[in-house]
């Protein structure tokens, strides 16, 4: 009989991963239950499979650079279903001044490109000679980029990258929290170009794959939800859904969950839900933690997936996709050319585009009717990509309060939250709102929590 009862609140990738690590490594000592309030698992991971198209609702993959994630997939028995991005999808673009510009990885080629003005290109080259900052003071991503590579490059290259990953505003987000490697590059090497040259030398001249430096975008046969389906099979005896957890209270050395189906007691709790839901659950236990969690903002996104015949394009897409700087005053944040990245996710001879609108700079987009959102995406894409017909397939997914925003001071706030939670007892925060938003980050965080709980 298990000695410790653990509640895992949330059936997204973080909660399911925590359950998997408990079951796989500590099954005889820990009895755990995963609660999910929706009638499906996966959180923001979802996949629609219809009319020959495979459409991911949220993230469309993970970077294969994290050994723990690959080991996790192996242990689930899903290694043979991994689907790495097609190498032909390496090309990436930025939309500026009414055209798509390819981002060349070769510095010499990039500096000859007309994407930036001549002064803007020279300012990037000057970065090599600019001394690095020595202090640890938090700085916005935009301010860091402006200081290192100049305002034009910050607006044209860094701003759309941030909106593509976080749906956020580079002027508001913390460099240390969002891009810790970039922060360390300046600290360790004195600048970005110096760091890249050093790392290229150390790696024998190798660079990243289709997903950019440090990894290749990877999904599964049938889309990313294949991973959730695999986890559901392994954890089926530990799942309880749809059941809402409304609050957590402490009774002696036990935690009592006030749910829509009773008040079960547990020895430890892993909370793997968005920060604003965690804030509500913890309000009666620690008001300071609840208040700080409520202060983590979220951006909202609309994802428009549209399928076309290749003949609908003046020049069919060839590459990963493109991003749009906010300075271009477009509704579209960017578009991923899914059928180029994962050819099996669209029928032969078809093109599947996955276009993002909204974000923290333009959150009202998600409040509009789906037909209007799709029409806006098509209107702008038609001009950007030379599309001359209506889509044959279309699906719109609206995510309200979808992506947490690591604003200035985020890491310091998280350290205080963790310190407060230790005073309460065995209660842990998992998920993408705290120490990294990617799937790799979530799996690593859940693994670390299970290690701390079971040590």
């Amino acid at each position: 009989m298990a000695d410790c009862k653990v509640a895992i609140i949330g059936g997204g990738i973080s909660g399911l991963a925590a359950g998997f690590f408990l079951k796989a490594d500590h099954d005889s000592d820990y009895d755990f239950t995963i609660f999910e309030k929706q009638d499906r698992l996966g959180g923001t991971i979802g996949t629609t499979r219809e009319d020959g198209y495979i459409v991911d609702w949220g993230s469309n993959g993970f970077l294969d650079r994290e050994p723990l994630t690959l080991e996790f997939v192996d242990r689930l028995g899903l290694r043979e279903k991994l689907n790495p991005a097609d190498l032909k999808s390496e090309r990436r673009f930025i939309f500026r001044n009414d055209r798509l510009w390819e981002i060349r990885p070769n510095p010499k080629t990039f500096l000859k490109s007309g994407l930036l003005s001549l002064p803007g290109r020279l300012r990037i080259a000057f970065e090599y000679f600019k001394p690095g900052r020595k202090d640890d003071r938090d700085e916005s991503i935009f301010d860091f980029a402006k200081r290192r590579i100049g305002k034009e490059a910050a607006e044209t290259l860094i701003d759309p990258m941030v909106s593509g990953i976080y749906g956020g505003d580079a002027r508001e987000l913390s460099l240390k929290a969002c891009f810790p490697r970039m922060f360390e590059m300046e600290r360790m090497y004195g600048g970005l170009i110096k760091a890249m040259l050093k790392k290229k030398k150390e790696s024998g001249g190798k660079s990243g794959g289709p997903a950019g430096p440090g990894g290749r975008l990877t999904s599964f046969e049938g889309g990313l939800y294949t991973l959730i389906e695999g986890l559901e099979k392994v954890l089926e005896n530990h799942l309880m859904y749809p059941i809402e957890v409304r609050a957590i209270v402490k009774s002696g050395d036990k935690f009592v969950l006030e749910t829509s189906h009773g008040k079960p007691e547990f020895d430890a709790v892993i909370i793997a839900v968005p920060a604003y839901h965690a804030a509500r659950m913890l309000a009666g236990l620690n008001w300071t933690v609840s208040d700080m969690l409520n202060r983590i903002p979220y951006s909202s996104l609309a994802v428009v997936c549209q399928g076309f015949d290749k003949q609908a394009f003046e020049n069919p897409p060839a590459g990963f996709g493109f991003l749009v700087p906010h300075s271009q005053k477009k509704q579209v944040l960017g578009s991923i050319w899914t059928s180029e990245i994962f050819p099996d996710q669209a029928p032969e001879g078809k093109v599947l585009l996955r276009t993002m609108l909204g974000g923290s700079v333009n959150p009202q987009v998600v409040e509009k009717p789906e037909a209007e959102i799709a029409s806006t995406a098509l209107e702008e894409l038609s001009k950007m990509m030379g599309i001359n017909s209506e889509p044959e397939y279309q699906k719109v997914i609206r995510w309200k309060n979808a992506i947490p925003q690591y604003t200035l001071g985020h890491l310091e706030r998280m350290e205080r939250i963790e310190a407060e939670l230790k005073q309460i007892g065995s209660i842990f925060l998992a998920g993408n709102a705290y120490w990294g938003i990617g799937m790799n980050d979530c799996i690593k965080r859940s693994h670390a929590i299970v290690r701390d709980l079971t040590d």
Side-chain angles (χ1 to χ4, degrees), residues 59-103:
S59 174
N60 66 337
F62 65 95
L63 298 182
D64 67 356
R65 68 188 179 198
E66 176 51 58
L68 178 63
T69 300
L70 297 177
E71 178 188 340
F72 175 65
V73 170
D74 261 343
R75 296 175 72 185
L76 271 170
L78 295 176
R79 166 72 76 162
E80 293 184 356
K81 292 191 175 183
L82 284 176
N83 184 20
D86 196 301
L87 290 174
K88 70 182 180 182
S89 67
E90 287 187 340
R91 300 173 67 201
R92 291 165 177 264
F93 299 82
I94 293 286
F95 181 84
R96 190 188 190 203
N97 297 335
D98 297 322
R99 61 163 288 186
L100 293 174
W101 299 87
E102 185 173 356
I103 306 299

Short mmCIF file of all heavy atoms in Angstrom, two decimals, residues 59-103:
data_model
loop_
_atom_site.label_atom_id
_atom_site.label_comp_id
_atom_site.label_asym_id
_atom_site.label_seq_id
_atom_site.Cartn_x
_atom_site.Cartn_y
_atom_site.Cartn_z
N SER A 59 0.67 24.54 -29.33
CA SER A 59 2.03 24.25 -29.80
C SER A 59 1.97 23.15 -30.86
O SER A 59 1.15 22.23 -30.80
CB SER A 59 2.90 23.80 -28.62
OG SER A 59 4.16 23.37 -29.07
N ASN A 60 2.88 23.24 -31.85
CA ASN A 60 2.91 22.22 -32.89
C ASN A 60 4.13 21.32 -32.80
O ASN A 60 4.44 20.57 -33.72
CB ASN A 60 2.84 22.86 -34.29
CG ASN A 60 4.08 23.69 -34.60
OD1 ASN A 60 4.76 24.15 -33.70
ND2 ASN A 60 4.35 23.90 -35.88
N GLY A 61 4.84 21.37 -31.65
CA GLY A 61 5.99 20.48 -31.50
C GLY A 61 6.90 20.94 -30.38
O GLY A 61 6.59 21.87 -29.62
N PHE A 62 8.03 20.26 -30.27
CA PHE A 62 9.04 20.60 -29.27
C PHE A 62 10.41 20.49 -29.92
O PHE A 62 10.58 19.83 -30.96
CB PHE A 62 8.94 19.66 -28.06
CG PHE A 62 9.25 18.21 -28.38
CD1 PHE A 62 10.54 17.70 -28.18
CD2 PHE A 62 8.27 17.36 -28.88
CE1 PHE A 62 10.83 16.38 -28.48
CE2 PHE A 62 8.56 16.03 -29.18
CZ PHE A 62 9.85 15.54 -28.98
N LEU A 63 11.40 21.13 -29.33
CA LEU A 63 12.76 21.06 -29.83
C LEU A 63 13.43 19.80 -29.29
O LEU A 63 13.36 19.52 -28.10
CB LEU A 63 13.55 22.30 -29.42
CG LEU A 63 13.03 23.64 -29.95
CD1 LEU A 63 13.93 24.77 -29.50
CD2 LEU A 63 12.90 23.63 -31.46
N ASP A 64 14.09 19.07 -30.16
CA ASP A 64 14.64 17.77 -29.78
C ASP A 64 15.99 17.87 -29.04
O ASP A 64 16.73 16.90 -28.96
CB ASP A 64 14.80 16.87 -31.01
CG ASP A 64 15.84 17.38 -32.00
OD1 ASP A 64 16.40 18.48 -31.77
OD2 ASP A 64 16.10 16.69 -32.99
N ARG A 65 16.29 19.04 -28.50
CA ARG A 65 17.58 19.24 -27.84
C ARG A 65 17.59 18.81 -26.38
O ARG A 65 18.65 18.77 -25.76
CB ARG A 65 17.97 20.72 -27.92
CG ARG A 65 17.08 21.64 -27.10
CD ARG A 65 17.37 23.09 -27.36
NE ARG A 65 16.51 23.98 -26.59
CZ ARG A 65 16.31 25.25 -26.87
NH1 ARG A 65 16.91 25.78 -27.92
NH2 ARG A 65 15.51 26.00 -26.14
N GLU A 66 16.43 18.51 -25.80
CA GLU A 66 16.35 18.19 -24.37
C GLU A 66 16.35 16.67 -24.16
O GLU A 66 15.37 15.99 -24.49
CB GLU A 66 15.09 18.81 -23.77
CG GLU A 66 14.84 18.47 -22.31
CD GLU A 66 16.05 18.72 -21.44
OE1 GLU A 66 16.55 19.88 -21.40
OE2 GLU A 66 16.51 17.76 -20.81
N PRO A 67 17.43 16.10 -23.61
CA PRO A 67 17.51 14.65 -23.42
C PRO A 67 16.37 14.08 -22.58
O PRO A 67 15.88 12.98 -22.85
CB PRO A 67 18.86 14.46 -22.72
CG PRO A 67 19.67 15.66 -23.10
CD PRO A 67 18.67 16.79 -23.20
N LEU A 68 15.93 14.82 -21.55
CA LEU A 68 14.88 14.30 -20.69
C LEU A 68 13.58 14.09 -21.45
O LEU A 68 12.88 13.08 -21.25
CB LEU A 68 14.64 15.27 -19.52
CG LEU A 68 13.51 14.87 -18.55
CD1 LEU A 68 13.83 13.55 -17.87
CD2 LEU A 68 13.26 15.96 -17.52
N THR A 69 13.25 15.00 -22.37
CA THR A 69 12.02 14.84 -23.16
C THR A 69 12.12 13.61 -24.05
O THR A 69 11.15 12.84 -24.17
CB THR A 69 11.76 16.09 -24.01
OG1 THR A 69 11.62 17.23 -23.16
CG2 THR A 69 10.49 15.94 -24.83
N LEU A 70 13.25 13.41 -24.68
CA LEU A 70 13.43 12.24 -25.55
C LEU A 70 13.38 10.95 -24.74
O LEU A 70 12.80 9.94 -25.20
CB LEU A 70 14.74 12.36 -26.32
CG LEU A 70 14.84 13.54 -27.29
CD1 LEU A 70 16.20 13.61 -27.94
CD2 LEU A 70 13.74 13.46 -28.35
N GLU A 71 13.95 10.97 -23.55
CA GLU A 71 13.86 9.80 -22.66
C GLU A 71 12.41 9.55 -22.25
O GLU A 71 11.94 8.40 -22.20
CB GLU A 71 14.73 10.03 -21.43
CG GLU A 71 14.69 8.89 -20.42
CD GLU A 71 15.41 9.22 -19.13
OE1 GLU A 71 16.25 10.15 -19.13
OE2 GLU A 71 15.12 8.57 -18.12
N PHE A 72 11.70 10.62 -21.95
CA PHE A 72 10.28 10.56 -21.59
C PHE A 72 9.47 9.90 -22.71
O PHE A 72 8.66 9.00 -22.47
CB PHE A 72 9.83 12.00 -21.33
CG PHE A 72 8.37 12.21 -21.06
CD1 PHE A 72 7.77 11.69 -19.92
CD2 PHE A 72 7.60 12.98 -21.92
CE1 PHE A 72 6.42 11.93 -19.66
CE2 PHE A 72 6.27 13.23 -21.68
CZ PHE A 72 5.67 12.69 -20.54
N VAL A 73 9.72 10.34 -23.94
CA VAL A 73 9.03 9.77 -25.11
C VAL A 73 9.38 8.29 -25.27
O VAL A 73 8.52 7.45 -25.55
CB VAL A 73 9.39 10.56 -26.38
CG1 VAL A 73 8.89 9.85 -27.63
CG2 VAL A 73 8.83 11.98 -26.31
N ASP A 74 10.66 7.97 -25.07
CA ASP A 74 11.10 6.58 -25.16
C ASP A 74 10.37 5.70 -24.15
O ASP A 74 9.88 4.61 -24.48
CB ASP A 74 12.61 6.50 -24.88
CG ASP A 74 13.43 6.41 -26.15
OD1 ASP A 74 12.85 6.08 -27.20
OD2 ASP A 74 14.64 6.67 -26.10
N ARG A 75 10.30 6.16 -22.93
CA ARG A 75 9.68 5.37 -21.86
C ARG A 75 8.19 5.19 -22.07
O ARG A 75 7.60 4.22 -21.59
CB ARG A 75 9.97 6.01 -20.50
CG ARG A 75 11.45 6.02 -20.15
CD ARG A 75 11.73 6.78 -18.87
NE ARG A 75 11.27 6.04 -17.70
CZ ARG A 75 11.30 6.51 -16.46
NH1 ARG A 75 11.78 7.74 -16.23
NH2 ARG A 75 10.87 5.79 -15.45
N LEU A 76 7.59 6.13 -22.80
CA LEU A 76 6.17 6.01 -23.15
C LEU A 76 5.95 5.05 -24.31
O LEU A 76 4.80 4.70 -24.62
CB LEU A 76 5.60 7.38 -23.52
CG LEU A 76 5.04 8.25 -22.40
CD1 LEU A 76 4.76 9.65 -22.92
CD2 LEU A 76 3.77 7.63 -21.83
N GLY A 77 7.04 4.66 -24.98
CA GLY A 77 6.93 3.78 -26.14
C GLY A 77 6.52 4.50 -27.41
O GLY A 77 5.96 3.89 -28.32
N LEU A 78 6.82 5.81 -27.48
CA LEU A 78 6.39 6.61 -28.63
C LEU A 78 7.55 7.04 -29.53
O LEU A 78 7.35 7.86 -30.43
CB LEU A 78 5.64 7.87 -28.15
CG LEU A 78 4.31 7.63 -27.43
CD1 LEU A 78 3.74 8.95 -26.94
CD2 LEU A 78 3.32 6.94 -28.35
N ARG A 79 8.74 6.50 -29.29
CA ARG A 79 9.90 6.91 -30.09
C ARG A 79 9.65 6.71 -31.59
O ARG A 79 9.98 7.57 -32.41
CB ARG A 79 11.12 6.12 -29.65
CG ARG A 79 12.32 6.18 -30.59
CD ARG A 79 13.01 7.52 -30.57
NE ARG A 79 13.82 7.71 -29.38
CZ ARG A 79 14.77 8.64 -29.28
NH1 ARG A 79 15.03 9.45 -30.28
NH2 ARG A 79 15.45 8.78 -28.16
N GLU A 80 9.03 5.59 -31.97
CA GLU A 80 8.81 5.31 -33.39
C GLU A 80 7.79 6.24 -34.03
O GLU A 80 7.71 6.33 -35.25
CB GLU A 80 8.38 3.85 -33.58
CG GLU A 80 9.49 2.85 -33.23
CD GLU A 80 9.08 1.42 -33.51
OE1 GLU A 80 7.90 1.21 -33.92
OE2 GLU A 80 9.91 0.52 -33.33
N LYS A 81 7.02 6.95 -33.21
CA LYS A 81 6.02 7.88 -33.74
C LYS A 81 6.52 9.32 -33.84
O LYS A 81 5.77 10.20 -34.25
CB LYS A 81 4.75 7.82 -32.89
CG LYS A 81 4.00 6.48 -33.03
CD LYS A 81 2.63 6.55 -32.40
CE LYS A 81 1.86 5.26 -32.64
NZ LYS A 81 0.47 5.32 -32.10
N LEU A 82 7.77 9.55 -33.43
CA LEU A 82 8.32 10.89 -33.55
C LEU A 82 8.38 11.32 -35.01
O LEU A 82 8.69 10.52 -35.90
CB LEU A 82 9.73 10.95 -32.94
CG LEU A 82 9.81 10.96 -31.41
CD1 LEU A 82 11.27 10.93 -30.97
CD2 LEU A 82 9.12 12.18 -30.84
N ASN A 83 8.09 12.59 -35.23
CA ASN A 83 8.03 13.12 -36.59
C ASN A 83 8.84 14.41 -36.65
O ASN A 83 8.32 15.49 -36.36
CB ASN A 83 6.57 13.38 -36.97
CG ASN A 83 6.42 13.84 -38.40
OD1 ASN A 83 7.30 13.65 -39.24
ND2 ASN A 83 5.28 14.46 -38.71
N PRO A 84 10.14 14.34 -36.99
CA PRO A 84 10.96 15.55 -37.05
C PRO A 84 10.61 16.43 -38.23
O PRO A 84 10.14 15.95 -39.27
CB PRO A 84 12.39 15.01 -37.16
CG PRO A 84 12.23 13.66 -37.79
CD PRO A 84 10.91 13.13 -37.30
N ALA A 85 10.83 17.73 -38.08
CA ALA A 85 10.54 18.68 -39.16
C ALA A 85 11.36 18.35 -40.40
O ALA A 85 12.53 17.95 -40.32
CB ALA A 85 10.85 20.10 -38.69
N ASP A 86 10.74 18.52 -41.54
CA ASP A 86 11.43 18.32 -42.81
C ASP A 86 12.56 19.34 -42.95
O ASP A 86 12.38 20.52 -42.67
CB ASP A 86 10.43 18.48 -43.96
CG ASP A 86 10.96 17.93 -45.28
OD1 ASP A 86 12.02 18.41 -45.72
OD2 ASP A 86 10.31 17.04 -45.85
N LEU A 87 13.71 18.87 -43.40
CA LEU A 87 14.87 19.76 -43.51
C LEU A 87 14.66 20.90 -44.50
O LEU A 87 15.31 21.93 -44.41
CB LEU A 87 16.11 18.95 -43.91
CG LEU A 87 16.65 18.01 -42.82
CD1 LEU A 87 17.79 17.16 -43.38
CD2 LEU A 87 17.14 18.81 -41.63
N LYS A 88 13.74 20.72 -45.43
CA LYS A 88 13.49 21.78 -46.41
C LYS A 88 12.79 22.99 -45.77
O LYS A 88 12.66 24.04 -46.40
CB LYS A 88 12.65 21.27 -47.58
CG LYS A 88 11.20 20.94 -47.22
CD LYS A 88 10.44 20.39 -48.41
CE LYS A 88 8.99 20.07 -48.04
NZ LYS A 88 8.24 19.48 -49.17
N SER A 89 12.36 22.84 -44.52
CA SER A 89 11.64 23.94 -43.85
C SER A 89 12.57 24.87 -43.08
O SER A 89 12.12 25.64 -42.25
CB SER A 89 10.58 23.36 -42.90
OG SER A 89 11.19 22.68 -41.81
N GLU A 90 13.86 24.80 -43.35
CA GLU A 90 14.80 25.65 -42.61
C GLU A 90 14.63 27.14 -42.90
O GLU A 90 14.94 27.98 -42.07
CB GLU A 90 16.24 25.23 -42.92
CG GLU A 90 16.64 23.92 -42.28
CD GLU A 90 18.12 23.64 -42.46
OE1 GLU A 90 18.73 24.23 -43.38
OE2 GLU A 90 18.66 22.83 -41.70
N ARG A 91 14.18 27.48 -44.09
CA ARG A 91 14.11 28.89 -44.47
C ARG A 91 13.03 29.62 -43.66
O ARG A 91 11.91 29.17 -43.54
CB ARG A 91 13.81 29.02 -45.96
CG ARG A 91 14.84 28.37 -46.86
CD ARG A 91 14.39 28.39 -48.30
NE ARG A 91 14.34 29.75 -48.85
CZ ARG A 91 13.63 30.09 -49.91
NH1 ARG A 91 12.86 29.21 -50.53
NH2 ARG A 91 13.67 31.35 -50.35
N ARG A 92 13.43 30.80 -43.14
CA ARG A 92 12.52 31.63 -42.34
C ARG A 92 12.48 33.04 -42.91
O ARG A 92 13.48 33.50 -43.49
CB ARG A 92 12.97 31.66 -40.88
CG ARG A 92 12.81 30.33 -40.17
CD ARG A 92 13.60 30.29 -38.87
NE ARG A 92 13.37 29.03 -38.18
CZ ARG A 92 12.47 28.83 -37.22
NH1 ARG A 92 11.72 29.84 -36.82
NH2 ARG A 92 12.32 27.65 -36.66
N PHE A 93 11.35 33.71 -42.69
CA PHE A 93 11.15 35.01 -43.32
C PHE A 93 10.61 36.02 -42.33
O PHE A 93 9.98 35.68 -41.32
CB PHE A 93 10.18 34.88 -44.50
CG PHE A 93 10.65 33.96 -45.60
CD1 PHE A 93 10.48 32.59 -45.50
CD2 PHE A 93 11.27 34.47 -46.73
CE1 PHE A 93 10.91 31.73 -46.50
CE2 PHE A 93 11.72 33.63 -47.75
CZ PHE A 93 11.53 32.26 -47.63
N ILE A 94 10.85 37.29 -42.65
CA ILE A 94 10.26 38.43 -41.95
C ILE A 94 9.49 39.25 -42.98
O ILE A 94 10.00 39.51 -44.08
CB ILE A 94 11.34 39.32 -41.30
CG1 ILE A 94 12.06 38.58 -40.17
CG2 ILE A 94 10.74 40.63 -40.79
CD1 ILE A 94 11.26 38.44 -38.90
N PHE A 95 8.26 39.64 -42.62
CA PHE A 95 7.49 40.51 -43.51
C PHE A 95 7.75 41.96 -43.12
O PHE A 95 7.48 42.38 -41.99
CB PHE A 95 6.00 40.21 -43.42
CG PHE A 95 5.17 41.06 -44.33
CD1 PHE A 95 5.00 40.72 -45.66
CD2 PHE A 95 4.58 42.23 -43.86
CE1 PHE A 95 4.24 41.51 -46.51
CE2 PHE A 95 3.83 43.03 -44.70
CZ PHE A 95 3.66 42.67 -46.03
N ARG A 96 8.30 42.72 -44.06
CA ARG A 96 8.55 44.14 -43.82
C ARG A 96 8.50 44.89 -45.13
O ARG A 96 8.97 44.40 -46.16
CB ARG A 96 9.92 44.34 -43.15
CG ARG A 96 10.13 45.77 -42.65
CD ARG A 96 11.55 46.01 -42.16
NE ARG A 96 11.66 47.29 -41.48
CZ ARG A 96 12.79 47.97 -41.35
NH1 ARG A 96 13.93 47.49 -41.83
NH2 ARG A 96 12.80 49.13 -40.72
N ASN A 97 7.91 46.07 -45.10
CA ASN A 97 7.83 46.93 -46.29
C ASN A 97 7.21 46.19 -47.47
O ASN A 97 7.73 46.20 -48.59
CB ASN A 97 9.21 47.47 -46.66
CG ASN A 97 9.80 48.36 -45.57
OD1 ASN A 97 9.07 48.95 -44.79
ND2 ASN A 97 11.12 48.43 -45.50
N ASP A 98 6.09 45.50 -47.17
CA ASP A 98 5.25 44.85 -48.19
C ASP A 98 5.92 43.70 -48.92
O ASP A 98 5.55 43.37 -50.06
CB ASP A 98 4.77 45.89 -49.23
CG ASP A 98 3.88 46.95 -48.60
OD1 ASP A 98 3.09 46.59 -47.71
OD2 ASP A 98 3.99 48.12 -48.98
N ARG A 99 6.87 43.04 -48.29
CA ARG A 99 7.44 41.84 -48.90
C ARG A 99 8.04 40.94 -47.84
O ARG A 99 8.28 41.35 -46.70
CB ARG A 99 8.50 42.20 -49.94
CG ARG A 99 9.70 42.95 -49.41
CD ARG A 99 10.87 42.90 -50.39
NE ARG A 99 11.48 41.57 -50.44
CZ ARG A 99 12.58 41.28 -51.12
NH1 ARG A 99 13.17 42.21 -51.87
NH2 ARG A 99 13.10 40.06 -51.11
N LEU A 100 8.26 39.68 -48.22
CA LEU A 100 8.90 38.72 -47.34
C LEU A 100 10.40 38.71 -47.60
O LEU A 100 10.85 38.58 -48.74
CB LEU A 100 8.33 37.31 -47.58
CG LEU A 100 6.86 37.08 -47.20
CD1 LEU A 100 6.41 35.70 -47.63
CD2 LEU A 100 6.65 37.27 -45.70
N TRP A 101 11.15 38.84 -46.51
CA TRP A 101 12.61 38.82 -46.59
C TRP A 101 13.11 37.55 -45.90
O TRP A 101 12.74 37.26 -44.75
CB TRP A 101 13.21 40.03 -45.87
CG TRP A 101 12.81 41.36 -46.43
CD1 TRP A 101 11.71 42.09 -46.11
CD2 TRP A 101 13.52 42.12 -47.41
NE1 TRP A 101 11.68 43.26 -46.81
CE2 TRP A 101 12.79 43.32 -47.62
CE3 TRP A 101 14.71 41.93 -48.12
CZ2 TRP A 101 13.20 44.30 -48.51
CZ3 TRP A 101 15.12 42.91 -49.01
CH2 TRP A 101 14.38 44.08 -49.19
N GLU A 102 13.96 36.81 -46.57
CA GLU A 102 14.51 35.62 -45.95
C GLU A 102 15.60 36.00 -44.95
O GLU A 102 16.45 36.85 -45.22
CB GLU A 102 15.09 34.67 -47.00
CG GLU A 102 15.57 33.35 -46.39
CD GLU A 102 15.99 32.32 -47.43
OE1 GLU A 102 15.84 32.59 -48.64
OE2 GLU A 102 16.47 31.24 -47.02
N ILE A 103 15.57 35.33 -43.78
CA ILE A 103 16.59 35.53 -42.76
C ILE A 103 17.70 34.52 -43.02
O ILE A 103 17.54 33.33 -42.80
CB ILE A 103 16.02 35.33 -41.34
CG1 ILE A 103 14.80 36.21 -41.13
CG2 ILE A 103 17.08 35.62 -40.29
CD1 ILE A 103 15.09 37.67 -41.24
#
